[in-house]
Amino acid sequence: MRRDLEKSNLYESVKTLVECPSKHIHLNQQKLFTLFSIAFQYLLYKSGKEPGAYIIRIENPVLAEKIAKKAKDDTSRKFMNRLLRTRKLRYEQSTFFLDYFNFQSWHMTADIPASKLKGAIVVQNTAKGPMSEDAMFTVEDPTADVAKVINPFEHLGEHYYLNMLKETCPKTLTIAYDQKFEGLEPIRFGFIPEPKDIIAGVKISDDLKFD
């Protein structure tokens, strides 16, 4: 059975984000679906206070579908299921957009005026792996004999999908476990348990002693 977030934990977590003065926040714990529910509920709250455009940028469509099924509150699941179909959804006086780390999916969000962009959630999968080639261009290098695959945003750094938002978006929430980002304020929630130390896939017993 699905276990949703307790309302008290959800409320206090959103309150923590509301009271945080930092413009760019990093949620770096391992519970991705829990963190998404918190971040999304914060964005809904903010959209009521500051109408405008809000972006949800998820690593890929597969992860977006998982979030729509496994987010830890019913509102987030229903909203994401609708947003998956349309990629653009009106909510009261604000508009939410869905895109992915693949810049070719940014056709709806690239032209949002900076004055209307109010907030964004960026979600990276907890599973580590190389960036998919669908996030890159294949271009002809006139000085080379063969086509070369390049990242057109390489000058913006490894996290270009976030860095470009930070230039124009006044508030970003980045959900990424075991990652480091410059200029982001880490926030951790006490009710989320921390993973135990692991050696070669085996949990360390609390009473184990090393000589």
Side-chain angles (χ1 to χ4, degrees):
M1 293 179 63
R2 178 187 292 125
R3 289 191 60 185
D4 282 354
L5 268 168
E6 292 184 8
K7 290 184 178 180
S8 59
N9 286 335
L10 184 57
Y11 173 83
E12 290 298 330
S13 299
V14 172
K15 184 172 180 284
T16 296
L17 296 179
V18 170
E19 294 175 349
C20 178
S22 300
K23 294 181 178 179
H24 305 294
I25 293 172
H26 182 194
L27 305 180
N28 58 357
Q29 290 170 285
Q30 202 168 11
K31 298 294 185 178
L32 185 153
F33 303 120
T34 295
L35 294 176
F36 181 84
S37 282
I38 294 169
F40 180 72
Q41 287 290 345
Y42 166 79
L43 226 60
L44 283 185
Y45 172 83
K46 183 176 175 65
S47 70
K49 300 291 184 179
E50 299 180 48
Y54 291 83
I55 295 174
I56 299 176
R57 179 165 292 171
I58 299 175
E59 185 166 343
N60 54 53
V62 173
L63 180 58
E65 290 179 4
K66 288 182 179 179
I67 289 172
K69 294 178 181 178
K70 298 183 179 182
K72 294 302 181 178
D73 73 293
D74 195 47
T75 300
S76 296
R77 290 190 294 269
K78 289 179 178 178
F79 198 102
M80 282 300 298
N81 271 295
R82 293 182 62 187
L83 192 58
L84 278 171
R85 296 193 297 266
T86 61
R87 300 272 304 281
K88 179 180 178 181
L89 190 59
R90 186 78 174 175
Y91 177 76
E92 296 182 350
Q93 299 182 57
S94 295
T95 304
F96 284 73
F97 297 85
L98 172 66
D99 64 20
Y100 306 106
F101 289 9
N102 178 352
F103 67 88
Q104 294 173 345
S105 70
W106 299 358
H107 59 278
M108 285 194 294
T109 55
D111 297 327
I112 298 174
S115 60
K116 291 186 177 181
L117 186 56
K118 301 299 181 181
I121 298 174
V122 177
V123 188
Q124 182 171 334
N125 202 338
T126 53
K128 293 183 179 180
M131 180 63 69
S132 172
E133 289 188 2
D134 66 1
M136 302 180 181
F137 273 131
T138 299
V139 298
E140 293 287 344
D141 184 345
T143 64
D145 296 330
V146 295
K148 184 172 69 171
V149 177
I150 65 169
N151 181 347
F153 302 122
E154 186 174 3
H155 66 288
L156 293 173
E158 179 184 3
H159 307 297
Y160 67 89
Y161 49 87
L162 169 63
N163 294 339
M164 294 190 72
L165 279 176
K166 285 171 61 181
E167 292 181 356
T168 56
C169 189
K171 192 79 174 187
T172 64
L173 304 172
T174 299
I175 300 171
Y177 177 67
D178 198 24
Q179 293 286 329
K180 293 182 179 180
F181 300 89
E182 293 185 4
L184 270 61
E185 176 74 20
I187 288 183
R188 303 176 78 84
F189 302 107
F191 72 92
I192 298 178
E194 299 294 337
K196 293 183 178 180
D197 292 333
I198 294 176
I199 294 180
V202 179
K203 290 185 178 179
I204 299 176
S205 174
D206 292 336
D207 59 354
L208 185 64
K209 296 180 180 180
F210 294 93
D211 292 331

